[in-house]
Amino acid sequence: MDDMVDSSIFPPASSVYGTTLREHVLSGMQAAPGATGQFTSLLNHISLAIRIISSRVRSAGLAGMLGYTGKQNIQGEDVLKLDEFANDVLVEALERSGHCGIIGSEELDEVRVPGSAGKYVVLFDPLDGSGNIDTNGCIGTIFAILRRQPGELLPVVDEALRPGREIVCAGYTIYGPSTTFVLSTGHGVDGFTLDPNVGEFFLSHPNIRCPARGNTYSVNEGNYSTWAKGVQDWANAMRTPDPELGSHGLRYSGAFVLDAHRTLLKGGVFAYPADAKNGKGKLRLLYEANPMAYILEQAGGAATDGINRMLDVQPKALHQRTSLVLGSKDDVARFAEFAKRG
Ligand code: AMP
Ligand code: P6P
């Protein structure tokens, strides 16, 4: 692939500044046989939307953007002003790209069909972890891109109800001390950090790989009493020092996007199992679990519903929830050993 990539767009060894997201995406287009540029344009529109959201998140407290809208979404959750803003920005960016034919969002009851009839499906959670906003905690955006099915006209929503293995691109951002954008287009995983003074994302985490094992587990232990026995046994094992890695650390922020990001970089395991309140798990399959599962697999990690590969699950509804375990291959496999006990 190297000889197909125009090396002039990559910085020379003595470069004054690093590789931008725009350059990185352009090199991906040049390496994609027959690419027309539609995918690249779509990604550039998503990148702009993320920069707009990042800017507003950072000034939310000052811009009167904190607090509730007074509305509830289909999940029955209070919609925060920032949730609605992030959703509106992403929807507009996708419509203006002209290359998105189906939009699925946590904040939209049904799929939306832009007039442009573009060839891509984009599914997203515009602002994950928004419960952390009023305490200035980390939040983020999660998205997945699939190609629309050519040929017969399906009921529109069915074009979104495809297993995660059909994803062609997934990414997420974290609006934290810095705004980071983690992206995979099927050739590994790369992380970019926004320089807000320049308005550009720069490559900061090239070729992210998830360690085979880690000593951190991330789960809401408050749900312990309502878990299946096998999951309780797993949690007890996590509280027991590992002969090789020593004791485990429990890290849980309440924002999936941050807990998954830490697990991707440091290794270990994140789990949101089914519990008494969430009989089928809490996280949404199409726009939270699947995009993150795709990224973890692209980085050499794994993701399951506790036992089965997440990307093979056949969705049945747009806002379907799922149990989710993701992270280091060995640690995800260990969870499954316990979960299979029932
Ligand atoms: P396009 O003709 O631009 O819609 O691209 C066709 C396919 O080529 C996309 O669905 C991707 O799988 C791949 N592709 C195109 N551009 C890029 C890019 N910038 N980075 C990675 N893959 C790309
Ligand atoms: P709990 C945030 O609302 C969210 O959907 C995820 O980002 C997060 O992992 C989870 O819920 C936290 O849920 O039940 O542990 O508070």
Side-chain angles (χ1 to χ4, degrees), residues 25-26 28-29 32-40 43 119-120 147 168 185 187:
V25 171
L26 184 62
M29 184 183 82
T36 63
Q38 297 176 50
F39 181 88
T40 296
L43 268 184
K119 73 179 187 183
Y120 290 103
R147 295 192 196 106
V168 294
T185 58
H187 309 286

Side-chain angles (χ1 to χ4, degrees), residues 79-100:
V79 177
L80 285 154
K81 290 177 185 174
L82 273 177
D83 284 325
E84 192 168 56
F85 175 79
N87 184 67
D88 294 350
V89 168
L90 275 161
V91 168
E92 180 165 340
L94 294 171
E95 290 179 335
R96 285 165 65 167
S97 78
H99 304 306
C100 178

Side-chain angles (χ1 to χ4, degrees), residues 203-241:
L203 184 63
S204 52
H205 299 73
N207 191 29
I208 297 174
R209 302 300 292 167
C210 184
R213 292 194 68 195
N215 63 351
T216 301
Y217 71 113
S218 183
V219 69
N220 184 344
E221 284 256 10
N223 298 327
Y224 178 90
S225 62
T226 70
W227 289 336
K229 176 75 171 61
V231 178
Q232 291 179 334
D233 292 346
W234 166 78
N236 294 330
M238 287 295 105
R239 294 192 208 113
T240 309

Side-chain angles (χ1 to χ4, degrees), residues 63-133:
M65 285 295 289
L66 295 178
Y68 292 102
T69 59
K71 302 171 193 167
Q72 287 213 323
N73 60 20
I74 192 167
Q75 334 284 346
E77 295 167 344
D78 291 324
V79 177
L80 285 154
K81 290 177 185 174
L82 273 177
D83 284 325
E84 192 168 56
F85 175 79
N87 184 67
D88 294 350
V89 168
L90 275 161
V91 168
E92 180 165 340
L94 294 171
E95 290 179 335
R96 285 165 65 167
S97 78
H99 304 306
C100 178
I102 307 270
I103 295 174
S105 165
E106 182 191 42
E107 299 304 335
L108 298 175
D109 296 359
E110 309 296 336
V111 291
R112 179 163 304 181
V113 182
S116 58
K119 73 179 187 183
Y120 290 103
V121 177
V122 183
L123 307 169
F124 59 86
D125 178 356
L127 213 56
D128 175 66
S130 44
N132 286 352
I133 289 173

